[in-house]
């Protein structure tokens, strides 16, 4: 049959017309979009398939590979996903591959069966060819990587030629054969045995072609040759300008599907819940494909169509082997009543389910739907199935409702990204994403910005994740050209845009997790969007519609969905009586590097403002790609690292997790603001609120812990009555189990921590996982006066030799102060050197990504323009003010001047900042450092105000009483509890892919730096100074600023320590404008603070020294 067809079909590529540069030619011989087909042989087979496929839990994520092991694992996943499907075969594996520089340089007739490909290389399918040494990845955010001249693309258009072969199983004899590509980037043509069988565009949706007539007959063992030509660039690329890597090839699975002559081609499950949710009326629209031209009535003369619903949730409760068929809970029969819908040619099955178990992200109850086609003898001809959930998505004024409740979207945007594979997916890696999301209280995902792998939707159905499914349309680069119209304004692009939306909806329409469709991202707004919105609303009125383009409030969206809108502005919209739609931020809290500051302020507004229903953080994962370094190691690369031009550098690194899914420190803050159990304390009452909409606290165990000045005073389980969804329980301080501890404590500060843990394991975490933890401060019982040192009249040695002041106690401690410079040259404890240089004022930090955002108006640019990054401290004066038997007082005046490399001729008028420092050294070895800072009033906001000193590299044990244990900053510290924590200095460093300010700890009362023998330095707040921001690192500030990749950092010979009276916030509202909130800025105004330094030995502790200065 194949040879007879050779002369009858001509590939669209062979007529001289560049179809890949014609927006009106988007497909050829491509079958209509439809749901994922399984091609089951029986009802039992379909149930067994789902019984095995649903056995997914957090244990699977432990094997997720992020290195070269991912390459074979991707092929294993392709095989796993079709296991148990006798009429589906995967063609995934190693194919022959040749990369031509242009379509015109493709080997002649490479698709012929006789073509010799022995000299070609091999490439795994699925994969992106750039991830295997062919061509190069390109990262751009907005700009197209080629000249904007739609629909034309560059002549230099890398073109991949693929070849593989297959044999049709003899069991498939007499059946139809479909060739199914799950996704190919960006356009392709396929041949079977030299015959062209189809052409398709859209890099994120399936393309399916019937190849029955082009294959060699079953049983001949003759190998069929499949050849594919893939274009890197096509007119479709103009619709795919998303903020991610441009990668090409067959990046999802390739399948052979075998179907009977008459088969189930598509089906659409719908459920209509009773007003009281006591039952659900079920409908399934079924589309039948017949190879002959047959009327609808004749199909019913020869076949019957049925559907059945099975309760998947009951399968795993028996402990042994489940009786799958007995889980049948509803049967749907053909509705033969006349259809009133014009042109409706499908078949409608109807039924009812009593007392349905509803689906939500909190309770993801699922059923298995099986659709059956039988012949007149009752034999099963074809069988299809999928997971479905019974749930209702609806609207109310300013509310999105799921099952009648105004759910809160605690969401994140997710690109498909693997550091080794690019866009190719692995089962365990997708599970890892979901496990981490659920463990950090994320309940919603926006598929940014395209339909994702079919398995992702099943996993979201199972794990419980609300989803916005987004069409593969983004034309962001058109925003910055004045000579080319947006595609949405051009009728010639309407078909291509609608095809992408239709393909998404038709493939994904049965997934319970999808609560809203999205028309795409950042593609302007115009008549084409109105057409897309009209089609979606007509096709599926059971879900909401989302589209941010055009200002987020157009008629084509049911949700006001701005991106990066400020807190005060979203509140203003929510309070607008003329806006009846809910507001859900489609993107917010830009997680680029050390970021996500202010997120708690968004959630204070969301939790307290009717009409605000949450948002989706940008974004889930740092899109770094593994790249070989010169020394043979691998590192995570970003835009430009592959020689890609143009590029947008590290703007692809905006994730809450690193490429290997290690969480950034900011994930703790996300987990905290997203936690479902909220705890607050005011006026003697502790309030515990269950913000769930469906779950009570039955599955939770509550516990408490009390700490006084960092020491645990007591803890225990907290017995609470069942708290219903959206209800609050109150505990009065006088009747609380910690009241006696609080009442009898002499602590200056008393903190109470309330935690909620899971009593039982779930599919995403083991039992005992903490879902919510809140620390509240209980009121002090007495007034505390400022901290002072209780000095003993201890005498000590002191001598001045020239410009050097040496003070100390023999064999205990020694400090050498340079009286010319006003700095410490040496500090020893028990003869061990500790401080190598210091103590200097410091106002500069290594800029973070957010600091750099905004061009000339960025904080970083303003700091550099003001020379804050290059301050040199000149000692204006240094003198011994007082010297007695018991103390020495030294006064220093520093001038912070721009570093010109020449100290001579520096005038006071050149000083940007003047700093008075008074050292008071006591016989006990204590040093009180008093700082008075007077910055020039025309300076920009300062990065920090504090002191810096350097310690010997062996002083590597750090313990502190403050917030932790993880990195935190003034505007990102709500999740960091106040306590006593201990780490190695090297473990403080946070390896952001692009270095900058990192590893800080907020609200520190005291800190110790010690060597392995316990010798070291203690530092604390003093007098009435507030808690400090601290930092200690083997990397200097200059080094963190210099290096462009974490692996480029060079460790110093000592430890740089910062004790900051004030430290600017890290921001996070976006990363392209200076957006630290006012309360976290440091204006250039005078300020004063005091720090106590003290030697520490194994015989003393930071806690004891700190307590000794409290005035009770």
């Amino acid at each position: 049959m194949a040879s007879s067809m050779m002369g009858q079909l001509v590939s669209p590529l062979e007529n001289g017309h560049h179809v890949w540069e014609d927006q009106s030619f988007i497909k050829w011989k491509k079958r209509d979009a439809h749901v994922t087909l399984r091609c089951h042989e029986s009802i039992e087979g379909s149930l067994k398939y789902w019984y095995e496929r649903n056995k997914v839990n957090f244990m699977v994520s432990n094997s997720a590979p992020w290195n070269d092991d991912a390459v074979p694992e991707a092929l294993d996943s392709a095989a796993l996903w079709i296991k148990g499907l006798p009429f589906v075969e995967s063609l995934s594996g190693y194919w022959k591959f040749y990369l031509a520089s242009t379509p015109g340089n493709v080997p002649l007739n490479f698709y012929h069966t006789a073509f010799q490909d022995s000299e070609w290389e091999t490439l795994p399918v699925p994969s992106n060819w750039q991830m295997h040494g062919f061509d190069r990845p390109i990262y751009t955010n907005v700009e197209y990587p080629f000249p904007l001249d739609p629909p034309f693309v560059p002549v230099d258009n890398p073109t991949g030629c693929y070849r593989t072969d297959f044999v049709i199983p003899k069991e498939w004899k007499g059946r139809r054969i479909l060739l199914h590509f799950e996704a190919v980037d960006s356009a392709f043509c396929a041949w079977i045995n030299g015959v062209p069988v189809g052409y398709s565009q859209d890099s994120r949706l399936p393309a399916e072609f019937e190849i029955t007539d082009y294959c060699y007959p079953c049983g001949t063992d003759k190998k069929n040759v499949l050849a594919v030509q893939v274009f890197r660039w096509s007119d479709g690329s103009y619709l795919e300008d998303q903020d991610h890597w441009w990668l090409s090839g067959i990046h999802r699975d390739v399948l052979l599907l075998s179907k009977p002559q008459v088969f189930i081609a598509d089906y659409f499950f719908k459920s209509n819940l009773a007003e009281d949710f006591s039952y659900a009326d079920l409908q399934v629209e079924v589309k039948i494909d017949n190879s002959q031209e047959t009327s609808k009535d004749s199909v019913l003369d020869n076949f019957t169509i049925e559907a059945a619903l099975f309760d998947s949730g009951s399968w795993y409760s028996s402990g042994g082997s489940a009786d799958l068929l007995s889980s049948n809970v509803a049967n749907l029969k053909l509705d033969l009543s006349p259809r009133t819908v014009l042109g409706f040619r499908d078949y409608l099955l109807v039924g009812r389910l009593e007392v349905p178990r509803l689906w939500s992200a909190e309770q993801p109850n699922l059923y298995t739907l099986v659709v059956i086609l039988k012949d007149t003898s009752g034999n099963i001809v074809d069988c299809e199935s999928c997971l479905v959930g019974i749930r209702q998505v609806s609207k109310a004024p300013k509310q999105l409702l799921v099952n009648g409740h105004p759910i809160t979207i605690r969401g994140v945007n997710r690109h498909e990204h693997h550091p080794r594979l690019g866009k190719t997916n692995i089962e365990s890696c997708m599970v890892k994403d979901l496990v981490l999301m659920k463990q950090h209280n994320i309940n919603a995902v926006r598929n940014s910005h395209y339909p994702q792998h079919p398995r992702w939707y099943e996993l979201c159905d199972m794990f419980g994740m609300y989803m916005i499914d987004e069409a593969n349309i983004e034309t962001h680069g058109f925003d910055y050209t004045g000579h080319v119209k947006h595609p949405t304004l051009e009728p010639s692009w309407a078909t291509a845009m609608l095809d992408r939306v239709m393909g998404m909806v038709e493939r994904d329409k049965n997934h319970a997790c999808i609560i809203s469709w999205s028309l795409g991202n950042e593609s302007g707004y115009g008549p084409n969007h109105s057409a897309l919105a009209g089609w979606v609303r007509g096709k599926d009125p059971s879900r909401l519609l989302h589209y941010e383009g055009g200002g987020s409030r157009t008629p084509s969206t049911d949700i006001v969905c701005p991106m990066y809108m400020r807190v005060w502005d979203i509140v203003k919209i929510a309070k607008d009586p003329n806006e009846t739609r809910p507001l859900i931020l489609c993107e917010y809290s830009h997680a680029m590097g050390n970021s996500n500051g202010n997120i708690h302020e968004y959630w204070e507004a969301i939790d307290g403002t009717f009409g605000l229903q949450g948002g989706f953080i940008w974004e889930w994962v740092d899109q770094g790609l593994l790249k070989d370094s010169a020394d043979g190691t691998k590192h995570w690369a970003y835009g430009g690292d592959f020689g890609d031009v143009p590029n947008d550098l590290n703007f692809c690194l905006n994730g809450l997790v690193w490429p290997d899914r290690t969480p950034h420190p900011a994930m703790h803050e996300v987990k905290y603001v997203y936690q479902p159990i909220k705890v607050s304390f005011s006026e003697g009452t502790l309030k515990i609120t269950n913000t769930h909409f469906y779950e009570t606290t039955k599955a939770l165990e509550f516990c408490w812990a009390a700490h006084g000045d960092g020491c645990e005073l007591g803890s225990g389980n907290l017995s609470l009555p069942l708290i219903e969804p959206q209800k609050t329980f109150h505990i009065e301080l006088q009747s609380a189990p910690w009241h006696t501890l609080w009442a009898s404590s002499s602590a200056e500060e008393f903190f109470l921590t309330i935690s909620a843990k899971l009593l039982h394991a779930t599919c995403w975490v083991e039992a005992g996982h903490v879902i919510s933890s809140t620390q509240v401060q209980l009121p002090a019982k007495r007034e505390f006066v400022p901290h002072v040192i209780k000095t003993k009249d201890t005498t000590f040695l002191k001598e001045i030799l020239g410009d050097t002041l040496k003070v100390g106690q023999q064999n205990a401690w020694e400090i050498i102060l340079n009286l010319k410079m006003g700095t410490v040259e040496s500090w020893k404890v028990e003869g061990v050197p500790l401080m190598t240089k210091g103590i200097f004022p410091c106002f500069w930090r290594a800029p973070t990504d957010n600091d750099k955002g905004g061009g000339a108006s960025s904080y970083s640019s303003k700091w550099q323009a003001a020379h804050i990054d290059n301050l040199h401290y000149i000692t204006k004066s240094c003198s011994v003010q007082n010297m007695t038997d018991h103390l020495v007082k030294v006064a220093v005046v520093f001038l912070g001047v721009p570093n010109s490399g020449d100290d001579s001729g520096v005038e006071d008028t050149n000083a940007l900042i003047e700093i008075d420092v008074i050292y008071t050294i006591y016989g006990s070895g204590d040093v009180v450092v008093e700082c008075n800072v007077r910055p020039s009033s025309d300076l920009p906001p300062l990065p920090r105000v504090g002191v810096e000193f350097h310690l010997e590299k062996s002083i590597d044990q750090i313990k502190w009483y403050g917030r932790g244990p993880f990195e935190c900053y003034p505007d990102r510290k709500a999740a960091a509890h106040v306590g006593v924590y201990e780490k190695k200095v090297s473990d403080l460093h946070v390896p952001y892919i692009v270095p900058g300010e990192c590893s800080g700890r907020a609200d520190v009362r005291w800190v110790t730096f010690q060597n392995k023998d316990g010798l070291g330095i203690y530092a604390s707040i003093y007098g009435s100074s507030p808690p400090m921001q601290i930092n200690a690192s083997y990397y200097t500030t200059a080094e963190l600023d210099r290096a462009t990749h974490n692996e480029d950092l060079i460790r110093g010979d000592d430890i740089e320590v910062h004790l900051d009276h004030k430290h600017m916030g890290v921001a996070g509202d976006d990363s392209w404008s200076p957006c630290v909130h006012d309360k976290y800025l440091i204006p250039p105004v005078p300020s004063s603070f005091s720090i106590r330094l003290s030697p520490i030995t194994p015989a003393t502790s930071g806690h004891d020294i700190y307590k000794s200065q409290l005035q009770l």
Side-chain angles (χ1 to χ4, degrees):
M1 177 65 74
S3 60
S4 67
M5 296 297 296
M6 281 289 288
Q8 300 177 30
L9 286 176
V10 177
S11 164
L13 305 184
E14 296 177 37
N15 62 11
H17 179 53
H18 287 191
V19 296
W20 62 93
E21 295 181 302
D22 179 354
Q23 71 268 39
S24 67
F25 192 97
I26 56 175
K27 56 187 174 183
W28 178 67
K29 293 181 66 63
K30 182 177 174 181
R31 291 178 57 80
D32 289 344
H34 55 73
V35 298
T36 302
L37 299 177
R38 315 289 177 193
C39 312
H40 298 295
E41 81 288 5
S42 66
I43 299 173
E44 294 91 332
S46 65
L47 298 181
K48 286 178 182 176
Y49 171 79
W50 288 109
Y51 179 76
E52 294 298 328
R53 198 169 173 88
N54 291 358
K55 288 181 180 176
V56 181
N57 62 30
F58 60 89
M59 299 295 288
V60 173
S61 68
N62 295 336
S63 62
W66 305 106
N67 52 22
D68 289 339
D69 294 340
V71 176
E73 188 65 25
L75 300 180
D76 291 344
S77 283
L80 171 71
W81 289 327
I82 64 156
K83 189 176 180 181
L85 300 176
F87 293 117
V88 180
E89 278 207 357
S90 172
L91 297 183
S92 297
Y94 282 88
W95 293 24
K96 286 292 188 176
F97 180 75
Y98 175 86
L99 185 65
S101 58
T102 71
N105 289 337
V106 165
L108 184 64
N109 297 330
F110 82 93
Y111 43 79
H112 283 180
T113 56
F115 183 85
Q116 292 299 309
D117 59 16
S118 58
E119 298 299 315
W120 285 17
E121 298 187 65
T122 59
L123 183 71
V125 172
S127 72
N128 295 115
W129 68 58
Q130 290 88 354
M131 302 308 298
H132 295 271
F134 300 93
D135 198 4
R136 65 182 58 177
I138 299 173
Y139 167 66
T140 62
N141 170 28
V142 177
E143 183 180 2
Y144 286 93
F146 47 78
L148 192 71
D149 184 24
F152 304 106
V153 295
V155 173
D156 292 333
N157 184 3
T159 303
C161 303
Y162 296 77
R163 284 172 58 91
T164 191
D165 55 47
F166 60 90
V167 174
I168 302 296
K170 60 180 182 297
E171 294 83 4
W172 292 12
K173 187 172 183 179
R175 296 171 64 89
R176 297 166 66 178
I177 310 299
L178 308 178
L179 174 62
H180 185 92
F181 295 86
E182 288 194 336
V184 181
D185 191 324
S186 73
F188 74 100
C189 191
W191 293 261
I192 294 290
N193 297 325
V195 181
V197 296
Y199 171 84
S200 179
Q201 295 179 187
D202 192 335
S203 301
R204 310 285 170 232
L205 281 176
E208 186 175 277
F209 314 102
E210 180 157 8
I211 61 171
T212 310
D213 293 338
Y214 316 128
C215 294
Y216 297 119
C218 293
T220 64
D221 292 331
K222 196 169 182 181
K223 291 183 177 179
N224 297 281
V225 175
L226 167 60
V228 184
Q229 180 174 335
V230 180
F231 303 86
R232 178 164 199 177
W233 312 121
S234 70
D235 56 87
S237 302
Y238 284 102
L239 298 179
E240 298 179 355
D241 189 30
Q242 291 94 349
D243 174 13
H244 67 154
W245 291 94
W246 296 86
L247 298 169
S248 319
I250 306 173
H251 62 94
R252 292 187 194 154
D253 306 331
V254 183
L255 305 172
L256 289 177
L257 310 179
S258 173
K259 280 288 194 177
Q261 294 298 316
V262 178
F263 66 89
I264 301 164
D266 199 9
Y267 56 99
F268 190 1
F269 173 81
K270 303 176 182 179
S271 59
N272 297 303
L273 281 158
E275 192 170 336
D276 62 356
F277 303 108
S278 60
Y279 66 86
D281 285 323
L282 310 178
Q283 291 185 350
V284 182
E285 292 177 10
V286 182
K287 184 180 292 184
I288 300 296
D289 186 301
N290 194 305
S291 57
Q292 311 297 321
E293 287 296 327
T294 306
S295 70
K296 184 173 179 179
D297 292 338
S298 64
V299 169
L300 295 180
D301 289 341
N302 298 303
F303 300 93
T304 58
I305 308 167
E306 304 170 0
L309 204 65
F310 296 85
D311 185 357
S312 314
S314 66
W315 291 352
Y316 309 99
S317 55
S318 60
S321 58
D323 182 1
L324 304 180
L325 288 172
S326 68
S327 63
N328 178 218
V329 290
N331 294 296
L332 291 81
K333 300 300 181 184
L334 194 63
D335 180 4
L336 295 174
S337 58
R339 299 269 73 77
T340 57
V341 180
L342 289 174
F344 184 86
R345 292 183 53 81
D346 298 339
Y347 302 91
L348 185 65
L349 305 177
V350 297
R352 176 170 287 188
L353 176 64
E354 299 289 347
V355 196
R357 296 186 306 115
L358 303 183
W359 186 95
S360 66
E362 294 174 30
Q363 299 173 335
N365 298 308
L366 290 171
Y367 296 86
T368 300
L369 172 71
V370 182
V371 183
I372 309 115
L373 181 68
K374 294 180 179 179
D375 62 18
T376 53
S377 300
N379 299 314
I380 292 179
V381 175
D382 194 18
C383 188
E384 287 295 341
S385 70
C386 70
L387 300 177
V388 295
I390 311 297
R391 55 106 182 91
Q392 179 189 80
V393 181
S394 57
K395 293 182 290 184
K398 292 186 181 290
Q399 290 182 317
L400 157 66
L401 307 177
V402 174
N403 302 331
H405 294 289
I407 60 165
T408 302
I409 296 297
R410 301 179 173 116
V412 69
N413 283 270
R414 177 188 182 265
H415 268 291
E416 288 185 313
H417 179 79
H418 192 286
R420 176 62 183 85
L421 302 178
K423 292 296 175 183
T424 295
N425 290 270
I426 294 176
E427 171 94 357
S428 58
C429 296
M430 287 191 279
V431 173
K432 181 70 172 182
D433 281 353
L434 275 171
V435 163
L436 280 173
M437 288 177 188
K438 294 290 286 190
Q439 288 178 357
H440 289 86
N441 296 323
I442 293 168
N443 72 352
V445 64
R446 176 179 174 225
N447 291 342
S448 53
H449 300 288
Y450 41 79
Q452 303 194 359
H453 192 284
R455 181 59 169 161
W456 175 246
Y457 299 77
E458 295 169 9
L459 293 170
C460 288
D461 288 338
M462 288 188 281
F463 280 74
M465 190 69 61
Y466 299 120
M467 178 187 289
I468 292 181
D469 200 13
E470 192 150 272
N472 184 23
I473 301 174
E474 179 165 340
T475 61
H476 202 170
F478 282 80
D479 289 351
Y480 300 96
T481 176
H483 68 284
V484 182
K485 271 189 181 180
H486 260 286
T488 188
L489 301 172
E490 294 278 15
S492 63
W493 287 94
T495 300
M497 293 175 69
L498 182 57
D499 185 71
R500 289 164 182 257
V501 170
M502 290 173 64
M504 169 186 70
V505 173
E506 295 291 16
R507 188 194 68 167
D508 301 335
K509 55 185 175 262
N510 290 331
H511 287 286
C513 61
I514 300 171
I515 59 173
S516 177
W517 303 111
S518 172
L519 301 181
N521 184 64
E522 294 176 323
S523 298
Y525 186 71
N528 291 351
H529 283 107
S530 299
L532 308 186
W535 186 89
V536 174
R537 286 172 170 152
K539 175 68 179 182
D540 182 21
S542 71
R543 294 178 172 98
L544 271 60
L545 191 58
H546 165 284
Y547 183 60
E548 182 273 340
S552 78
R553 299 175 76 173
T554 70
S556 293
T557 183
D558 298 320
I559 302 165
V560 179
C561 49
M563 53 175 64
Y564 309 108
M565 186 175 279
R566 302 306 191 242
V567 176
W568 43 90
D569 288 327
I570 64 172
V571 171
K572 191 183 301 181
I573 291 175
K575 292 183 176 179
D576 180 355
N578 297 315
E579 181 54 79
T580 61
R581 293 169 291 186
L583 189 149
I584 298 172
L585 289 149
C586 73
E587 295 176 22
Y588 82 109
S589 194
H590 198 261
M592 189 175 184
N594 188 358
S595 187
N596 301 101
N598 316 318
I599 191 173
H600 66 285
E601 295 190 19
Y602 276 93
W603 281 88
E604 287 166 6
I606 291 166
D607 289 338
T609 309
F610 179 74
L612 299 182
Q613 278 191 260
F616 297 87
I617 292 168
W618 186 266
E619 64 172 317
W620 176 240
V621 60
D622 281 341
Q623 294 181 56
L625 293 177
L626 275 179
K627 186 174 186 286
D628 292 327
S629 303
D631 61 0
T633 61
K634 294 179 184 294
H635 69 275
W636 288 320
Y638 51 80
D641 285 349
F642 296 95
D644 45 315
V645 178
N647 68 75
D648 282 303
L649 298 173
N650 64 316
F651 208 73
C652 57
L653 306 178
N654 314 141
L656 290 172
V657 297
W658 275 278
D660 66 356
R661 274 46 175 189
T662 301
H664 283 195
M667 274 281 270
H668 295 285
E669 196 83 349
V670 172
K671 180 180 180 180
Y672 175 81
V673 297
Y674 280 7
Q675 64 187 8
I677 304 298
K678 306 287 187 183
V679 177
S680 62
F681 179 83
S682 64
E683 299 178 355
T685 302
L686 189 79
K687 299 177 182 178
I688 302 176
T689 301
N690 176 13
T691 70
H692 280 127
F693 287 95
Y694 311 99
E695 288 276 12
T696 69
T697 56
K698 179 181 179 182
L700 299 179
E701 176 186 58
F702 288 87
C703 54
W704 63 273
H707 289 81
D709 294 335
C711 298
E712 183 170 317
L713 304 177
S715 62
N717 288 338
L718 184 59
S719 297
L720 298 177
L722 195 72
I723 306 176
E724 295 290 335
Q726 295 290 299
K727 298 298 182 184
T728 298
F729 182 73
H730 296 79
I731 301 176
E732 300 302 323
L733 178 58
Q734 288 76 10
S735 59
W738 49 83
H739 178 261
T740 302
L741 292 173
W742 172 77
S744 61
S745 173
S746 62
E748 181 184 24
E749 297 178 300
F750 192 101
F751 288 96
L752 175 70
T753 303
I754 304 293
S755 300
K757 302 177 183 179
L758 292 176
L759 284 169
H760 311 289
T762 70
C763 64
W764 47 270
V765 77
E766 56 195 353
H769 170 75
V770 176
I771 66 162
S772 299
S773 185
T774 303
Q775 186 181 68
V776 297
Q777 186 168 7
L778 299 190
K781 299 185 299 301
R782 61 183 69 85
E783 193 74 27
F784 287 85
V785 298
H787 299 198
V788 297
I789 295 175
K790 298 184 181 71
T791 60
K792 297 177 182 176
D793 291 337
T794 307
T795 59
F796 60 109
L797 304 173
K798 40 198 173 297
E799 61 177 337
I800 298 176
L801 297 173
D803 290 331
T804 300
L805 168 66
K806 182 188 288 188
V807 294
Q809 273 199 335
Q810 192 169 10
N811 300 324
W813 58 273
E814 177 193 85
I815 297 173
I816 298 176
L817 204 67
N818 185 316
L819 294 178
K820 182 178 181 182
M821 303 302 296
T823 57
V824 175
E825 287 189 349
S826 169
W827 188 334
K828 296 178 182 178
V829 173
E830 295 185 6
V832 176
L834 302 178
M835 189 181 293
T836 57
K837 58 180 177 180
I839 300 168
F840 301 99
C842 188
F843 304 93
W844 167 246
R845 75 179 182 194
T848 63
D849 290 309
N850 290 347
D851 291 340
K852 300 170 189 174
S857 64
S858 71
Y859 297 118
S860 177
S861 294
K862 289 182 177 179
W863 295 336
Q864 292 176 37
H867 306 290
I868 294 174
D869 64 322
N870 197 26
L871 280 182
H872 180 55
Y873 297 101
I874 305 298
T875 307
K876 181 180 179 182
S877 64
C878 179
S879 61
V880 177
Q881 300 284 300
N882 193 5
M883 186 181 292
T884 70
D885 290 342
H886 309 302
L887 66 80
V888 173
K889 184 172 286 191
V890 178
V892 187
V893 178
F894 290 110
L895 300 179
V897 299
N899 189 0
S900 63
D902 181 9
D903 293 353
S904 63
V906 173
E907 303 289 340
D908 290 8
T909 54
N910 295 343
L912 300 178
I913 307 176
E914 186 168 336
I915 310 101
D916 297 337
V917 178
I918 298 176
Y919 298 100
T920 304
I921 306 170
Y922 295 90
S924 59
D926 290 294
V927 179
V928 172
V929 184
E930 300 170 73
C931 298
N932 293 286
V933 178
R934 295 182 299 279
S936 171
S937 61
D938 57 0
L939 289 175
L942 302 174
R944 62 173 13 129
V945 173
V947 297
E948 170 191 333
F949 54 84
H950 291 242
L951 299 176
E952 287 283 348
K953 61 184 177 183
S954 61
I955 315 299
D956 62 348
Q957 313 286 327
I958 180 171
K959 181 184 284 190
W960 72 97
Y961 172 42
R963 292 193 181 272
F966 42 82
E967 176 193 80
C968 49
Y969 283 84
D971 56 353
R972 197 191 72 220
K973 63 182 183 180
H977 293 175
V978 175
V980 176
Y981 304 101
E982 188 170 8
K983 282 184 179 289
K984 281 182 162 273
V985 168
S986 57
D987 293 336
L988 292 177
H989 177 69
V990 180
Y992 295 113
I993 296 174
V994 176
E997 165 64 33
C998 67
S999 71
R1001 299 299 189 274
D1003 295 344
V1004 173
R1005 283 77 165 157
W1006 59 260
V1007 57
T1008 62
F1009 304 93
Q1010 294 169 277
N1011 65 12
K1012 60 182 175 57
D1013 299 319
L1015 300 176
I1017 288 179
Y1018 160 96
S1020 74
I1021 55 175
Y1022 190 72
S1024 56
S1025 293
M1028 306 175 286
Q1029 178 85 16
I1030 68 161
N1031 184 303
S1033 177
Y1034 287 104
Y1035 305 115
T1036 65
T1037 299
E1039 181 62 13
L1040 290 168
D1041 186 24
R1042 180 200 67 82
T1044 57
H1045 294 76
N1046 182 69
E1047 64 276 3
D1048 296 338
L1049 287 169
I1050 300 172
R1051 279 172 62 128
D1053 294 327
D1054 54 23
I1055 296 169
E1056 182 175 295
V1057 176
H1058 289 272
L1059 305 178
D1060 294 334
H1061 169 57
K1062 295 179 181 178
H1063 196 103
M1064 194 177 94
V1066 293
D1069 289 0
D1070 65 43
S1071 298
W1072 47 91
S1073 66
C1075 58
V1076 173
H1077 289 200
D1078 287 349
K1079 69 179 80 170
Y1080 306 115
L1081 288 172
I1082 306 174
V1085 297
S1087 60
S1088 301
F1089 61 97
S1090 300
I1091 295 170
R1092 176 190 183 183
L1093 303 172
S1094 180
I1096 191 166
T1097 69
T1100 55
S1101 72
H1103 178 264
D1104 292 339
I1105 298 175
Y1106 182 69
K1107 291 288 283 186
S1108 73
Q1109 70 189 38
L1110 301 185
Q1111 301 301 292
L1112 302 180

